[in-house]
Amino acid sequence: MKTYQLKFLAWTFSAFLPPDDHDAEEEVDYYELLDVPKNANADDLKKAYRKRSLQLHPDKLRQRGMVYQGQAITEEEARSRFQQMKAAYDTLKDPKKRQIYDALGHKGMQFVINPSHAMDPHVLLGNLAKSSVFDRAKLMTLVILFFGLIFLQPILVCAKVDQMLEKDGGALENASWVALLIPFWLFAAFYGVLLIIGKAVLPLIQWISFVVGILFLTLKFDEVMSWDYAALFIPFYIWMALRLFEAKSDMRTVQADMSKMVTIEYIEKFVINETKQDDDGNDIEDQLHRTYNDLNEEERDGINKEYIIVHVPPKPAAPGDGEDDEEDDFDKIERSPEYQEARTRHEHASKSMQRIIIPEIPLIVLIIVQLDMDKSWNWGLTFLPLWIAMAFECCGGCYGFFCTSALAHIEVQEAMADHFAKEQEAKENDGDEESKDNDEGKTDVEKMEGGGDAKTDTAEGKTSEMVGAAEAEKSEKTNLEEKVGIDTAVTVDPPVKTEKANAEFEADGVKREEKESDDGDEDDEFMFEMDEDTFHQFQQAEVEAENKATEAQSKAISSFCNIIFQTIIAALFVAKLNQVYEERDDQQMDGTSSFSTFWILFPFLLISGCIISCFACAIFGAANIDTAMSSEDANENGDNDGGDEETAAVNNNEAAPVILTPPPSHGVEDLRQKNDAESNAQVDIESPNDVESAGNGAAPAEAEDTDPESAMDDLD
């Protein structure tokens, strides 16, 4: 970029450059520091730098007694002058820096020294807030000119159509359509040059076909060409065919790229470290394991030509994922940004094909039939393919808005259900293994019992003899009691149940019944426990699902608004066509019964007006961020003035000395008696022992005497 171009850009966008600081010292011109003219070459700059170094170097000045040009200077001033001179030479010896300095001066050097800071939105907004009204007016004029150039061609077309339909006509009524579309021809030439520079062959051919079709239409309107519309639309046929070919080729390219996508683990496992075999077909052991970084440039280029290595981001923890669960390579590829970008390109190409096949081709066929065959159809019926396509897009937007959120949460719930089902299955497998072990233990016991039948018979015989002896002894004791008349039985009184014990027993019985009923319900209903890690994973999955749903809903809203806008424009255009052709059929071309063509542009003009108003508010209402933040802080401090006063008062009280006064003796006695009464009221006496212990505990409390001086000592 040349110097005059930089100067023009600097003058146009001077509002974003740092303002002149009048309080600061004037910065010396770099050419004056080196004492060279502005057209000095590299050799002149080098000689001047050497000469000025001998004059301004601190060591040389120290040898001359710190005297420069007859004036005594300090060492700091000498060092500062030398650093400025060195910065001037470093800037002027670099052609790019010198060009920027010649165009922008010291302001432009900030874009060279620290470009990230100079292009920071915070810094740019601060510079805009400090700029003058004239600089802001230049920006606003640029915005208005931009929108004016965009709407210049549509405004001219609408004005000509209205004047053609009016009875009196106007200046544009007899104007040629080719001359009227001069802004479009200029834009077409500019865009074609850009495509040629970018070497975009297929888009260039498409653009040429579209422009030629517009040219044929203008010649038809000027009555230069007398072709039918079926032949006149040949460039548009070519344009749509090229778009179909481009979309189809893009889909094939994307599919080929997606089939070549692999992970770095796949490359290292199956490509770099492929298992080699000897002549007999046996695997060779102890092969050298290499990574992708160990390859040289030639090997990497060969792999990159054959494969597309994707960068897989770390997988977020999902409910039900265990440490031992290994993710499939295809799942890793699907999470990569390269695969997501390819998928977006495929969807875009597919939608382009759908738009060409469904609305555009049938629409152009119906328009040709309507114009060439002089059908008296309603133009709304002619545009029926467009209405159908918009209805389908509207349904898709509604589905994305209303159903995406529910589907995202349903996926999370299904993942949780699968996780708990796996846990339940694992528990059942563990229970089956335990029951199997118990069955094996019972089998072993039965085998042991079957081997010792003889010992069991002997033990049973001895047991029967002992039982018989015990019964004989009991009968003898009963006979002895009858003879003597003494009752040797021990009589035990049944325990007396109090009301409290009965209540506890009944409550215990209720609890046992509830526990038994709960145990019975556990068999009927599936219960699960969620540990902390699973709960956090579930929360994270819910948040991610909510984010995805929000993103899908925002896209659906934007698509829905776009469809509504297109529908309004198409409806206005169709209504205008119907009125024009009705007037033509009735031979009343006065334009009184038809609305103005500018109403078709009204939605565009309305939105553009809102955008221009926003730009005006942003440009002329920009305030310094630092000043705004400081004023907000001051307002907050002003709101908290009362709180600050209270805080200051508290601080003052804390700083003041604390003087403790002893309470009166009668007050202490009343307080002690009140505390004793409350403690006695809280005692639940259920037996004489409790009463006795309470009385023993109360006596020392009453005997204790509270001394005010001891209380003061405790407080101290």
Side-chain angles (χ1 to χ4, degrees), residues 640-656:
N640 296 330
D641 285 343
D644 293 341
E645 292 177 358
E646 293 177 359
T647 307
V650 171
N651 294 333
N652 293 332
N653 291 335
E654 290 178 355

Side-chain angles (χ1 to χ4, degrees), residues 127-140:
N127 296 336
L128 179 62
K130 297 175 183 178
S131 62
S132 62
V133 179
F134 178 70
D135 292 337
R136 301 188 188 190
K138 287 188 289 185
L139 283 178
M140 195 63 212

Side-chain angles (χ1 to χ4, degrees), residues 462-707:
K462 292 182 178 180
T463 303
S464 59
E465 292 179 358
M466 291 174 65
V467 170
E471 290 178 354
E473 184 177 358
K474 185 176 181 181
S475 61
E476 291 179 359
K477 186 176 181 180
T478 303
N479 295 331
L480 181 61
E481 288 176 357
E482 290 177 356
K483 292 179 180 180
V484 178
I486 299 174
D487 189 6
T488 58
V490 179
T491 305
V492 180
D493 295 333
V496 179
K497 295 183 179 179
T498 61
E499 295 179 358
K500 182 177 180 180
N502 291 331
E504 291 179 354
F505 180 80
E506 292 175 0
D508 188 33
V510 173
K511 290 180 181 178
R512 290 178 181 177
E513 291 177 359
E514 290 177 356
K515 186 175 181 181
E516 290 176 358
S517 63
D518 292 340
D519 294 336
D521 294 336
E522 287 179 358
D523 297 334
D524 299 334
E525 185 178 359
F526 173 70
M527 302 294 292
F528 60 87
E529 295 181 358
M530 185 185 298
D531 56 358
E532 186 176 358
D533 294 337
T534 306
F535 178 72
H536 288 309
Q537 292 176 2
F538 175 73
Q539 281 187 329
Q540 185 178 0
E542 284 287 343
V543 171
E544 292 179 357
E546 189 67 27
N547 293 335
K548 291 181 181 178
T550 304
E551 183 179 359
Q553 288 176 355
S554 62
K555 291 181 179 179
I557 290 173
S558 62
S559 176
F560 193 72
C561 294
N562 188 19
I563 294 168
I564 293 176
F565 184 76
Q566 293 177 4
T567 305
I568 293 173
I569 299 299
L572 290 172
F573 184 72
V574 169
K576 182 66 178 178
L577 286 176
N578 285 328
Q579 290 186 356
V580 169
Y581 275 81
E582 286 177 1
E583 291 180 359
R584 188 195 66 175
D585 296 338
D586 297 339
Q587 300 296 327
Q588 297 177 359
M589 298 294 292
D590 55 354
T592 56
S593 62
S594 176
F595 61 89
S596 175
T597 314
F598 282 96
W599 281 105
I600 302 175
L601 287 180
F602 175 74
F604 295 101
L605 297 174
L606 179 62
I607 295 176
S608 301
C610 295
I611 295 174
I612 292 174
S613 301
C614 293
F615 271 106
C617 294
I619 292 173
F620 292 101
N624 192 0
I625 296 179
D626 298 332
T627 306
M629 293 297 293
S630 61
S631 62
E632 289 180 1
D633 295 339
N635 293 333
E636 291 179 359
N637 294 332
D639 295 338
N640 296 330
D641 285 343
D644 293 341
E645 292 177 358
E646 293 177 359
T647 307
V650 171
N651 294 333
N652 293 332
N653 291 335
E654 290 178 355
V658 180
I659 301 175
L660 298 176
T661 7
S665 59
H666 60 84
V668 174
E669 289 292 330
D670 295 341
L671 181 62
R672 182 169 56 79
Q673 292 177 2
K674 184 179 179 180
N675 292 335
D676 292 340
E678 290 178 355
S679 61
N680 292 333
Q682 293 176 359
V683 176
D684 187 9
I685 302 174
E686 295 183 357
S687 63
N689 295 330
D690 295 333
V691 176
E692 212 174 306
S693 61
N696 293 335
E702 293 177 357
E704 185 179 358
D705 189 11
T706 305
D707 190 6

Side-chain angles (χ1 to χ4, degrees), residues 25-45:
E25 298 180 358
E26 292 186 5
E27 296 179 351
V28 184
D29 185 62
Y30 283 169
Y31 293 99
E32 293 180 1
L33 278 175
L34 293 175
D35 195 13
V36 293
K38 292 190 176 182
N39 57 354
N41 54 24
D43 295 334
D44 296 338
L45 291 173

Side-chain angles (χ1 to χ4, degrees), residues 192-231:
V193 170
L194 293 180
L195 293 176
I196 293 173
I197 295 174
K199 298 180 180 180
V201 179
L202 188 59
L204 178 61
I205 299 175
Q206 294 178 12
W207 181 244
I208 292 173
S209 302
F210 180 78
V211 173
V212 171
I214 298 295
L215 179 61
F216 284 2
L217 282 177
T218 55
L219 294 176
K220 176 73 173 179
F221 295 157
D222 289 337
E223 298 180 355
V224 176
M225 297 179 64
S226 59
W227 296 356
D228 293 336
Y229 284 97

Side-chain angles (χ1 to χ4, degrees), residues 32-213:
E32 293 180 1
L33 278 175
L34 293 175
D35 195 13
V36 293
K38 292 190 176 182
N39 57 354
N41 54 24
D43 295 334
D44 296 338
L45 291 173
K46 188 179 293 184
K47 293 177 182 179
Y49 174 69
R50 290 178 181 176
K51 181 180 178 181
R52 299 291 288 174
S53 297
L54 295 175
Q55 295 176 357
L56 297 176
H57 198 280
D59 295 339
K60 300 297 181 181
L61 290 173
R62 198 178 296 111
Q63 293 175 2
R64 295 193 296 267
M66 301 301 294
V67 177
Y68 176 69
Q69 294 181 352
Q71 296 180 358
I73 60 174
T74 61
E75 190 172 352
E76 293 181 357
E77 291 177 354
R79 188 178 295 107
S80 176
R81 289 172 184 270
F82 182 78
Q83 289 177 354
Q84 288 180 358
M85 188 271 301
K86 189 176 184 305
Y89 176 70
D90 293 338
T91 301
L92 297 179
K93 73 177 182 179
D94 190 348
K96 293 183 179 179
K97 293 182 180 180
R98 184 176 180 178
Q99 187 180 14
I100 295 175
Y101 177 77
D102 292 340
L104 307 179
H106 292 281
K107 295 180 181 180
M109 297 313 300
Q110 295 185 4
F111 293 92
V112 179
I113 298 172
N114 192 0
S116 60
H117 175 73
M119 297 300 295
D120 187 10
H122 185 279
V123 176
L124 294 177
L125 185 59
N127 296 336
L128 179 62
K130 297 175 183 178
S131 62
S132 62
V133 179
F134 178 70
D135 292 337
R136 301 188 188 190
K138 287 188 289 185
L139 283 178
M140 195 63 212
T141 305
L142 189 65
V143 173
I144 295 174
L145 285 176
F146 174 76
F147 282 96
L149 290 175
I150 290 177
F151 286 101
L152 176 61
Q153 187 64 77
I155 289 173
L156 290 175
V157 173
C158 291
K160 181 174 175 58
V161 171
D162 284 345
Q163 292 182 10
M164 289 174 61
L165 296 177
E166 290 178 357
K167 185 176 181 180
D168 297 334
L172 297 176
E173 182 180 4
N174 298 323
S176 173
W177 280 98
V178 176
L180 192 73
L181 294 181
I182 288 177
F184 176 75
W185 308 133
L186 295 176
F187 172 75
F190 175 74
Y191 186 67
V193 170
L194 293 180
L195 293 176
I196 293 173
I197 295 174
K199 298 180 180 180
V201 179
L202 188 59
L204 178 61
I205 299 175
Q206 294 178 12
W207 181 244
I208 292 173
S209 302
F210 180 78
V211 173
V212 171

